[in-house]
Amino acid sequence: MTASAPVNPAPVLVTGCSSGIGLATALAIARAGWPVLAGVKSAGEVGELPKALAAEPLPIETVVIDIASEASVAEAFVKIRARHDRLRLLARQAIRP
């Protein structure tokens, strides 16, 4: 049984979305109808994400968040908090270098 996404759900933050498991996780969650905040290490390191979004319009918003940097994480959460009152879930797929 699959759970359906509620109307106006809180977003899911997925880190490591430039490729691999992070990207696959973000796409799967978005395809299920949940809004996704796709975390990438930097604005210049978006990897395969733009190509995936061009091929399939999904409720995905890109967020720069480098989990190896406390300052980057803090800045990302300030920006997220400005747009969303809460997160539904954090899926940490990024690995530290």
Side-chain angles (χ1 to χ4, degrees):
M1 182 163 117
T2 344
S4 60
V7 176
N8 298 320
V12 174
L13 173 60
V14 182
T15 63
C17 291
S18 59
S19 64
I21 293 172
L23 177 59
T25 301
L27 293 174
I29 292 169
R31 286 179 185 134
W34 294 88
V36 173
L37 301 176
V40 296
K41 191 172 186 176
S42 73
E45 295 184 44
V46 293
E48 301 166 23
L49 183 60
K51 182 179 175 182
L53 294 178
E56 184 178 4
L58 292 167
I60 296 179
E61 175 185 337
T62 304
V63 174
V64 174
I65 183 168
D66 179 356
I67 65 163
S69 164
E70 286 185 39
S72 175
V73 172
E75 183 179 338
F77 274 91
V78 166
K79 290 178 181 178
I80 291 168
R81 186 74 171 142
R83 293 181 48 98
H84 306 281
D85 62 342
R86 65 189 177 100
L87 289 176
R88 178 61 150 182
L89 178 73
L90 167 62
R92 185 176 165 250
Q93 302 299 323
I95 58 172
R96 292 183 103 167

